[in-house]
Amino acid sequence: MAAEGFTLWDSVRNSEALLTKPHVQFLYIHHILKNEEQKLAKRLSTHHTFISYSEGVARILENKVDKAYISISSDDGFKNNMAAAGILDNYEIKACFFVDPSMIEYRTFVEIETHFRERLNFPPVEFLDWKDIAQLQKWGMRLVRIP
């Protein structure tokens, strides 16, 4: 869907000027569909320089936004983040993953279903586990603990 959106965006007059204007774009992802991975990475890198979440925040605070930057993060801690992280790693793109450690402990379907019903109002999906966290760190992704 994101790749389709970029195609639509390109049809907007003066989109090139808007994309290249100095800014920091924070892109929040949940997952990337397999058939969109190369198209999305290529499209984003055409007009943006990938930077870490921390660098993006620092550039804004220090008023050092001299070109188009993009920072990627995810805030859900879902297991399907691993597929997106693997794709990002293939392109040497680092992302920030916000993770609630208490959710990593949920292993049974009943625990997961209860959490989603009571807190998220969203269909249940599997959470990252400690092995996934270790892999994200190995790929150089930033992990931020959220309460």
Side-chain angles (χ1 to χ4, degrees), residues 113-125:
E113 183 181 44
T114 300
H115 176 82
F116 275 83
R117 184 180 61 251
E118 293 175 358
R119 292 183 62 195
L120 303 176
N121 193 26
F122 191 78
V125 298

Side-chain angles (χ1 to χ4, degrees), residues 13-15 22 32 40 51 61 63 66 74-75 78 85 97 106 114 118 120 123 125 128 130-131 142 145:
R13 188 173 179 206
N14 295 325
S15 66
I32 300 173
L40 183 60
I51 58 174
L61 292 174
N63 198 23
D66 56 343
S74 177
D75 65 351
F78 297 160
F97 291 82
Y106 294 151
T114 300
E118 293 175 358
L120 303 176
V125 298
L128 296 169
W130 291 112
K131 184 179 174 183
R142 173 137 192 233
R145 181 182 187 269

